[in-house]
Amino acid sequence: MTILRPAPLTQDAFAPFGEVIEVTGEAIEINQGTTERYHDLARVDVSAEGGHPLINIFRGAATPLPFEVRMLERHPLGSQAFLPMEQVRFLVVVAPPGDTVAPDQVQAFIAEPGQGVNYARGTWHHPLLALGQTTDFVVVDRGGPGDNVDEVHFDTPLVIEPLT
Amino acid sequence: MTILRPAPLTQDAFAPFGEVIEVTGEAIEINQGTTERYHDLARVDVSAEGGHPLINIFRGAATPLPFEVRMLERHPLGSQAFLPMEQVRFLVVVAPPGDTVAPDQVQAFIAEPGQGVNYARGTWHHPLLALGQTTDFVVVDRGGPGDNVDEVHFDTPLVIEPLT
């Protein structure tokens, strides 16, 4: 059994996997100063093979901890962004793009309230891992023709222990 | 002074303006039953004239009530979706697509917690109207070349009174 320890979710640490979507950097002031626009926070990469963007809501059940990571998936034809519709934490488990995943390439992060993620096209990631309560997420991903999901399965699970 | 009374935000009432983005209808069960996917809830219409989808966060200040609606805007080249990142209400003020807007064409809605909206391309709408507290919204709209905003201004404001 291998323990997988979640790290804080930062732009730098997550850069190999996509983007952290959060209020950061310079805002553009719009609407007569009543709104700050944090502009173009993710690379929405969904047009391969005739694809187009979708907006969905994913309702994710709370993940029981400890949790055994036994598989990851990837979307070879498009990016996929997750943004919670509540101010809550959630778990992010990823591995770099590539044909296979070695267990020691897997990384876990804790998204803090106000943070979302965009998985770059081809980035291995675990399906949605809400924490604490059932949570709705805005999901921006790809619709269109083609087979857009691959999976890898691990012989030995990676274990995420209860968070402190 | 004309009073503009907000109505409940329902799919049917909002159909002339775009889509209500909410958990509704049949879910697709995914991720070994841990997630319900409410699929393709809005028409993301952003490819005109070389456009592409953007994901942004808009941080909207609370709207003081009573509020005077003095203008609307539209995006002739793309749709624009708003989904709050907290479980809060917000105001939606719209008018049908067209070259001009008569004051009696303007409608207001109250989005309840868990609801978002997608303004169809060309739909007149008021800039973001958060309620009660500063609120972050996920915004999915269009990036790309071209002039993508028009405004109309009203001689006499339409007034939204404090909500009960």
Side-chain angles (χ1 to χ4, degrees):
Chain A
M1 188 179 91
T2 306
I3 302 296
L4 182 61
R5 291 184 206 288
L9 181 65
T10 65
Q11 297 283 349
D12 283 354
F14 195 70
F17 311 108
E19 299 91 22
V20 181
I21 303 173
E22 62 185 338
V23 162
T24 185
E26 197 81 14
I28 304 167
E29 196 174 277
I30 59 172
N31 303 346
Q32 291 76 50
T34 62
T35 304
E36 297 172 359
R37 178 178 178 128
Y38 295 86
H39 183 72
D40 194 10
L41 301 175
R43 181 158 182 257
V44 183
D45 177 8
V46 296
S47 60
E49 298 187 18
H52 60 276
L54 300 180
I55 301 175
N56 317 278
I57 296 176
F58 281 21
R59 174 162 286 180
T63 304
L65 297 178
F67 180 75
E68 296 187 347
V69 174
R70 295 179 170 275
M71 58 81 70
L72 298 177
E73 65 181 27
R74 69 174 175 184
H75 305 300
L77 300 179
S79 60
Q80 188 175 43
F82 289 81
L83 291 130
M85 296 178 72
E86 298 186 58
Q87 293 284 306
V88 292
R89 304 201 295 179
F90 65 103
L91 277 173
V92 172
V93 178
V94 286
D99 285 343
T100 59
V101 180
D104 64 2
Q105 292 180 299
V106 179
Q107 293 187 46
F109 297 96
I110 302 176
E112 294 293 331
Q115 291 186 313
V117 291
N118 184 51
Y119 300 123
R121 178 178 165 184
T123 292
W124 294 102
H125 59 276
H126 196 278
L128 183 58
L129 293 170
L131 285 174
Q133 61 190 59
T134 297
T135 306
D136 289 346
F137 289 74
V138 181
V139 177
V140 179
D141 61 3
R142 177 189 178 277
D147 183 4
N148 193 21
V149 64
D150 298 320
E151 293 186 1
V152 283
H153 292 261
F154 302 126
D155 293 333
T156 305
L158 302 164
V159 177
I160 299 175
E161 295 181 309
L163 305 174
T164 52
Chain B
M1 187 179 90
T2 305
I3 303 295
L4 182 62
R5 292 186 204 286
L9 181 65
T10 64
Q11 298 283 351
D12 282 353
F14 195 69
F17 311 109
E19 298 91 22
V20 180
I21 303 172
E22 63 186 339
V23 162
T24 185
E26 197 81 13
I28 304 166
E29 196 174 276
I30 59 173
N31 303 346
Q32 292 76 49
T34 63
T35 303
E36 297 173 358
R37 178 177 178 128
Y38 295 86
H39 182 72
D40 194 10
L41 301 174
R43 181 156 182 256
V44 183
D45 176 9
V46 297
S47 60
E49 297 187 20
H52 59 275
L54 300 180
I55 300 176
N56 318 277
I57 295 176
F58 281 21
R59 174 162 286 180
T63 304
L65 298 178
F67 180 75
E68 296 188 347
V69 174
R70 295 178 170 276
M71 58 81 70
L72 298 177
E73 65 181 27
R74 68 174 175 184
H75 305 301
L77 299 179
S79 60
Q80 189 175 42
F82 289 81
L83 291 130
M85 295 177 73
E86 297 185 57
Q87 293 285 308
V88 292
R89 302 201 296 180
F90 66 102
L91 277 174
V92 172
V93 178
V94 286
D99 286 343
T100 60
V101 179
D104 64 2
Q105 293 179 298
V106 179
Q107 294 187 46
F109 297 96
I110 303 175
E112 294 294 330
Q115 290 186 314
V117 291
N118 185 51
Y119 299 123
R121 178 177 165 186
T123 292
W124 294 102
H125 60 275
H126 196 278
L128 184 57
L129 294 171
L131 286 174
Q133 62 190 55
T134 298
T135 307
D136 290 346
F137 290 74
V138 181
V139 178
V140 179
D141 60 3
R142 176 189 178 275
D147 183 3
N148 193 19
V149 64
D150 299 321
E151 293 185 1
V152 285
H153 293 261
F154 302 125
D155 294 334
T156 306
L158 302 165
V159 178
I160 298 175
E161 296 181 311
L163 305 174
T164 52

